[in-house]
Amino acid sequence: MRVTGKLLFVLTVAFTSLGAMSEQHSEQSTTDNEIRIGNIVPYSGPLSEFGAIGKAEAAYFDMINDRGGINGRKVRFITRDDNSDPMAALELTRSLVEKDDVHLMFGSFGTPGNLATRWYLNERKIPQLFVASGDEELSQAKAFPWTMGWQPAFRSEGRIYANYIQAFYPGKKIVALWQNDNFGRELFKGLEEGLGEVARDIRVDVAYDVADDHLDGHVSILKRSDAEVFVFVGLPENAAKVIRIAAEHNWRPVFILNQMASSIGTALAPAGLENATGVITATFLKDGSDPAWKDEGRDWQTFLAKYQKAGGKDEGAAIYGYAAAETLIQVLRQCGNDLSRENVMKQAAALNDYQASVVLPGIKINTGPWDFRPIKHLRLIQFDGRTWQPIGDVLETAFTGAKK
């Protein structure tokens, strides 16, 4: 994968600093009373909407603490803002480990920041669990045995969209508008890999920056291709703009949105439900703003009250944070009274058909000593103007052997 100059510099600093490290921390960061957990997310900056994930995780742990904690210990969740800067992520992680004495890092957001901290955490044997990124580089169990992903791989998601297009729209012209960062590149590569030799059906693809003010112009260029299929990869806010702009241009292709940009509340409703009718995505989570799931159980309602009280508004991010935190709590429960870092990693690698409550039915969480990709499946769904409807069975990946 590509590494930007800034990220390469951060990785170099992290690696070089390892030689000057003091003796590794002992297991003092877990006491008889609490378990200290560190987290890095962007509460500010261009990706600040994903700070809602950190708020959701904090609300979930508060709910767990209200019920007595884990094996008599309360969870102390210490979350910091890195402003989507990998250098800041590294410095904040060092501070969490060396000053706040966290026992493990959990759910930190984004590929660059997690890559920047991976060497440091693995050298010190600090669990880096359930990172909020679908980059396959962050699930390399042999090379980095203290780093584990959580969500499906971005490339797998792209391959599934390719599979769907080939099955239902063979030979149709395709355009793509994708976010110009690690995430966008990985998903778009998966789409190309899945299409294989018919990737030539992608007539135009445009890479754009998160804060791009020219989405209208991009959509106009893509429309001139007369494409029937439009693949969008990016943030919910930009997905809403693009769907709305296409409708204003009287262009109604088959829209495929990446999972992260598919929330009814933050993407489809702002786009106009009538404009978003027919949109397709592949997901592994329930949509917190989908009326089909409004009667979720008591735990979800208790959590939601805490999340909203803390200022959380994005129920899509809330679902993600809830499910990831719920998975970590399952790992800690499996640890019993042995909360050594070694046993935390051992139990994280021993999840067997675990069904998180807000993960779609039929999608199970499984890990193993050499399997650090807990969620491997997605389900294709289509928006009918009110709720999401499933398309077929759960899928793992497609055309992995396609020619590139």
Side-chain angles (χ1 to χ4, degrees), residues 29-146:
S29 54
T30 294
T31 69
D32 290 339
N33 300 318
E34 68 176 14
I35 306 167
R36 288 194 284 278
I37 297 171
N39 169 263
I40 305 291
V41 294
Y43 290 106
S44 60
L47 299 177
S48 60
E49 62 188 280
F50 294 106
I53 294 174
K55 291 180 180 178
E57 289 162 347
Y60 185 87
F61 293 133
D62 282 347
M63 181 179 72
I64 292 298
N65 287 339
D66 288 347
R67 297 175 181 178
I70 303 298
N71 299 325
R73 295 181 175 93
K74 297 295 180 72
V75 174
R76 184 179 171 196
F77 184 61
I78 309 172
T79 180
R80 299 285 186 257
D81 175 18
D82 69 350
N83 194 33
S84 300
D85 180 344
M87 177 61 86
L90 176 58
E91 291 306 313
L92 289 166
T93 298
R94 290 175 64 99
S95 177
L96 285 167
V97 171
E98 297 170 20
K99 295 180 181 178
D100 295 296
D101 204 22
V102 298
H103 193 57
L104 60 96
M105 294 296 296
F106 156 73
S108 293
F109 180 85
T111 301
N114 279 299
L115 288 175
T117 59
R118 181 174 61 172
W119 281 100
Y120 170 79
L121 292 169
N122 275 262
E123 180 69 13
R124 293 182 71 102
K125 299 183 179 180
I126 309 290
Q128 184 183 18
L129 283 179
F130 307 150
V131 300
S133 168
D135 195 303
E136 292 172 344
E137 274 295 310
L138 291 163
S139 297
Q140 303 298 320
K142 292 183 179 180
F144 297 98
W146 295 87

Side-chain angles (χ1 to χ4, degrees), residues 16 19 49 72 83 129 135 146 208 213 217 222 233 270-271 279 301 381 401:
T16 304
E49 62 188 280
N83 194 33
L129 283 179
D135 195 303
W146 295 87
Y208 70 96
D213 294 325
L222 297 176
V233 181
V279 161
Q301 298 303 327
I381 53 177

Side-chain angles (χ1 to χ4, degrees), residues 32 35 68-73 332-339:
D32 290 339
I35 306 167
I70 303 298
N71 299 325
R73 295 181 175 93
L332 296 177
R333 284 179 174 145
Q334 287 179 194
C335 287
N337 289 321
D338 180 3
L339 283 168

Side-chain angles (χ1 to χ4, degrees), residues 98-366:
E98 297 170 20
K99 295 180 181 178
D100 295 296
D101 204 22
V102 298
H103 193 57
L104 60 96
M105 294 296 296
F106 156 73
S108 293
F109 180 85
T111 301
N114 279 299
L115 288 175
T117 59
R118 181 174 61 172
W119 281 100
Y120 170 79
L121 292 169
N122 275 262
E123 180 69 13
R124 293 182 71 102
K125 299 183 179 180
I126 309 290
Q128 184 183 18
L129 283 179
F130 307 150
V131 300
S133 168
D135 195 303
E136 292 172 344
E137 274 295 310
L138 291 163
S139 297
Q140 303 298 320
K142 292 183 179 180
F144 297 98
W146 295 87
T147 299
M148 183 179 290
W150 185 68
Q151 68 192 64
F154 295 141
R155 285 203 186 191
S156 293
E157 185 178 350
R159 293 184 192 115
I160 285 172
Y161 297 140
N163 187 5
Y164 176 80
I165 292 167
Q166 287 189 314
F168 292 91
Y169 299 98
K172 299 297 184 182
K173 288 180 283 187
I174 305 163
V175 292
L177 182 61
W178 52 277
Q179 191 167 295
N180 190 20
D181 59 11
N182 299 74
F183 146 68
R185 284 190 290 273
E186 284 295 294
L187 202 150
F188 184 66
K189 285 178 185 175
L191 178 71
E192 290 183 309
E193 289 171 357
L195 290 171
E197 292 181 352
V198 298
R200 62 180 177 272
D201 289 337
I202 303 176
R203 299 307 170 89
V204 185
D205 73 274
V206 176
Y208 70 96
D209 294 330
V210 172
D212 198 322
D213 294 325
H214 306 290
L215 293 176
D216 197 316
H218 299 330
V219 173
S220 295
I221 291 170
L222 297 176
K223 182 189 176 189
R224 288 200 288 271
S225 70
D226 293 323
E228 295 99 331
V229 179
F230 188 150
V231 179
F232 173 85
V233 181
L235 304 181
E237 180 182 358
N238 286 333
K241 291 177 182 177
V242 167
I243 294 170
R244 191 168 60 248
I245 291 167
E248 290 168 356
H249 285 254
N250 197 30
W251 183 32
R252 297 190 178 276
V254 175
F255 261 108
I256 297 176
L257 303 183
N258 61 290
Q259 182 269 332
M260 186 172 65
S262 64
S263 165
I264 294 174
T266 59
L268 306 192
L273 297 180
E274 67 285 355
N275 299 328
T277 299
V279 161
I280 293 154
T281 191
T283 189
F284 61 101
L285 294 169
K286 298 172 182 177
D287 186 333
S289 50
D290 189 333
W293 307 113
K294 67 181 178 65
D295 294 324
E296 280 298 295
R298 180 174 62 88
D299 283 358
W300 171 252
Q301 298 303 327
T302 301
F303 156 81
L304 205 56
K306 286 183 174 292
Y307 172 68
Q308 292 169 346
K309 186 177 180 180
K313 298 177 182 178
D314 181 354
E315 292 189 6
I319 285 279
Y320 185 102
Y322 184 105
E326 187 179 37
T327 309
L328 180 62
I329 291 299
Q330 174 64 23
V331 169
L332 296 177
R333 284 179 174 145
Q334 287 179 194
C335 287
N337 289 321
D338 180 3
L339 283 168
S340 64
R341 288 175 174 135
E342 289 78 8
N343 194 43
V344 168
M345 286 307 303
K346 179 180 178 181
Q347 297 306 321
L351 292 167
N352 182 28
D353 280 345
Y354 175 62
Q355 178 73 63
S357 63
V358 294
V359 170
L360 288 176
I363 296 182
K364 303 294 180 65
I365 297 177
N366 287 283

